[in-house]
Amino acid sequence: MDIRGRRQSSNVEDRRGMRPVRTGVGLSLGGVLFLVVLSLFGINPLPFLGVATKAPEVQMQDTGQPYQESPREAQTRELTAVVLADTEETWSALLPKYGVQYVEPKLVLFSGAVASACGTGQSAMGPFYCPLDQKVYLDMSFFDDLSQRFGAPGDFAQAYVIAHEVGHHVQNLVGTAEKVSAAQQRMRKADANAMSVRMELQADCYAGVWAHNAARSRQLLEPGDVEEGLRAASAIGDDRIQKQTQGRVVPDAFTHGSSEQRMRWFNRGLETGNPEACDTFSAAQL
Ligand SMILES: [Zn+2]
């Protein structure tokens, strides 16, 4: 991606160098179900749930020391702010067609752990979106994991991750997230997981819709970028992650979709640029 001279979003909140402290009582189970749905991938959400069900309310406390970022971190922060700005362009142009005004989400940068309205987030969970405060939470060290552990390097792989989380914000604004969460409360675990897969694949498709618009209207993409995005979508498929962490694949436990499905839906958004092509909920085949 060529981000030189591009607008950077003013919606980035830098909370690196701050740490969470307890201030009160905990979260309801409804909030927890949301969390299962909205993280980036299926790596062990349980530690987070454990924290969230019992968690005291947490706020961030300034450690008094400004966060010292490396030149590389500064570069990644700039990329993040440019991609966020570009998703703002895309979605504020697209959503009014559906009678929805786009409300720009905040993106919180953190290091280690962070307090969100959905409970305490940990870096190990990967990036996540909290519908209760409409914020995307990102520890940029995840991008090192994406590159080294999951074999998906590159700035566009990172952009895909951000656009996927913003996709969850879109689902929240248009009411999909609420409907799905309500339906899941009445379902057996396997069915609820299957709903989560559709939700995640739709966020992948929305990431593709963003990429389509970024490429066509603003020439943000360079050759090789699409391949980077697809590699990232494939790398964080549930099957791939399960194999890496448990040595076997259990389709019933999927909450985000297989590598192939994630690539397919990202691609569908990318090719059409149309959010209506992202109706994973009525698709007979994912
Ligand atoms: Zn997700």
Side-chain angles (χ1 to χ4, degrees), residues 37-41 127 164-165 168 171 199-200 203-204 256 262:
V37 173
L38 300 172
S39 65
L40 181 74
F41 52 57
H164 171 97
E165 295 308 328
H168 285 313
Q171 292 173 320
M199 188 85 174
E200 291 301 327
D204 285 336
H256 288 66
R262 297 197 77 158

Side-chain angles (χ1 to χ4, degrees), residues 60-138:
M60 298 304 283
Q61 190 178 62
D62 211 318
T63 51
Q65 267 147 26
Y67 184 80
Q68 297 290 340
E69 65 182 2
S70 66
R72 209 174 124 256
E73 285 173 321
Q75 234 172 31
T76 310
R77 175 178 47 74
E78 281 165 24
L79 175 94
T80 300
V82 167
V83 170
L84 185 63
D86 208 274
T87 61
E88 291 161 1
E89 310 283 337
T90 297
W91 290 110
S92 53
L94 288 177
L95 284 190
K97 277 183 220 160
Y98 306 98
V100 177
Q101 210 52 45
Y102 190 60
V103 180
E104 296 173 356
K106 301 276 183 211
L107 187 149
V108 179
L109 295 176
F110 72 97
S111 50
V114 68
S116 81
C118 298
T120 309
Q122 308 283 344
S123 299
M125 296 160 38
F128 66 99
Y129 172 72
C130 173
L132 302 177
D133 55 20
Q134 305 205 341
K135 293 180 182 182
V136 171
Y137 291 84
L138 171 67

Side-chain angles (χ1 to χ4, degrees), residues 85-248:
D86 208 274
T87 61
E88 291 161 1
E89 310 283 337
T90 297
W91 290 110
S92 53
L94 288 177
L95 284 190
K97 277 183 220 160
Y98 306 98
V100 177
Q101 210 52 45
Y102 190 60
V103 180
E104 296 173 356
K106 301 276 183 211
L107 187 149
V108 179
L109 295 176
F110 72 97
S111 50
V114 68
S116 81
C118 298
T120 309
Q122 308 283 344
S123 299
M125 296 160 38
F128 66 99
Y129 172 72
C130 173
L132 302 177
D133 55 20
Q134 305 205 341
K135 293 180 182 182
V136 171
Y137 291 84
L138 171 67
D139 182 333
M140 295 191 301
S141 68
F142 173 74
F143 294 144
D144 298 331
D145 276 2
L146 189 61
S147 162
Q148 288 149 26
R149 191 167 159 214
F150 300 113
D155 54 2
F156 194 75
Q158 300 170 2
Y160 152 77
V161 167
I162 296 161
H164 171 97
E165 295 308 328
V166 171
H168 285 313
H169 175 62
V170 172
Q171 292 173 320
N172 190 26
L173 288 182
V174 302
T176 315
E178 202 180 341
K179 270 188 234 155
V180 167
S181 183
Q184 282 179 319
Q185 320 248 357
R186 300 186 302 267
M187 285 177 175
R188 291 182 307 124
K189 183 107 169 74
D191 294 336
N193 283 348
M195 279 291 263
S196 292
V197 169
R198 288 176 193 270
M199 188 85 174
E200 291 301 327
L201 294 176
Q202 186 175 61
D204 285 336
C205 187
Y206 285 168
V209 168
W210 162 73
H212 175 98
N213 285 278
R216 204 186 52 177
S217 313
R218 294 176 293 281
Q219 289 79 46
L220 189 61
L221 271 59
E222 291 177 317
D225 279 345
V226 167
E227 290 72 17
E228 274 179 21
L230 287 168
R231 207 176 302 132
S234 159
I236 54 181
D238 281 338
D239 49 348
R240 182 87 65 88
I241 286 171
Q242 278 190 359
K243 254 188 216 149
Q244 260 181 7
T245 54
Q246 322 174 343
R248 66 201 158 86

